[in-house]
Amino acid sequence: MTAFAAMASPSADGTVTVTATGELDMTSAPTLIESLRDAIRAYAPSRVDLDLSGVPFMDSTGIQVLVAAQADVAGDLRITGTSPAVHRLLQLTGLLETFGLTV
């Protein structure tokens, strides 16, 4: 199992991409929360793009983090990539469209 990590990269267009890797669960969620909040505070982005393609597993805590982060950025959090398991979880919870993903 790989340790969870999240890194923010600002773009010239005013957006920030946060790339997460590892399992997103109760123990790793605080790391993602901190990375998202730090990126929002530091860059005041017009949109946050969250790349979850390196996240093979996410539980309900991860869902809670995503929904809360969506509110923190006034609805402008977009998920730009998912692993098959995370995509399926977002589909089952009805959140694909909320984060700019398609079925």
Side-chain angles (χ1 to χ4, degrees), residues 1-102:
M1 181 174 88
T2 308
F4 185 84
M7 185 162 66
S9 306
S11 297
D13 65 0
T15 64
V16 170
T17 298
V18 176
T19 303
T21 55
E23 295 186 355
L24 180 52
D25 57 21
M26 185 171 55
T27 58
S28 60
T31 301
L32 182 57
I33 293 167
E34 184 177 340
S35 292
L36 288 167
R37 286 186 179 155
D38 288 350
I40 292 165
R41 223 180 351 259
Y43 305 111
S46 58
R47 186 184 72 234
V48 175
D49 292 338
L50 181 58
D51 182 357
L52 298 176
S53 55
V55 177
F57 171 83
M58 180 171 66
D59 67 7
S60 61
T61 308
I63 294 289
Q64 291 173 339
V65 170
L66 297 179
V67 170
Q70 179 80 337
D72 286 348
V73 294
D76 225 354
L77 174 71
R78 187 176 69 180
I79 296 175
T80 59
T82 59
S83 66
V86 170
H87 191 88
R88 179 77 175 133
L89 178 61
L90 292 171
Q91 184 178 24
L92 290 171
T93 56
L95 292 172
L96 282 178
E97 289 183 10
T98 300
F99 296 108
L101 296 168
T102 57

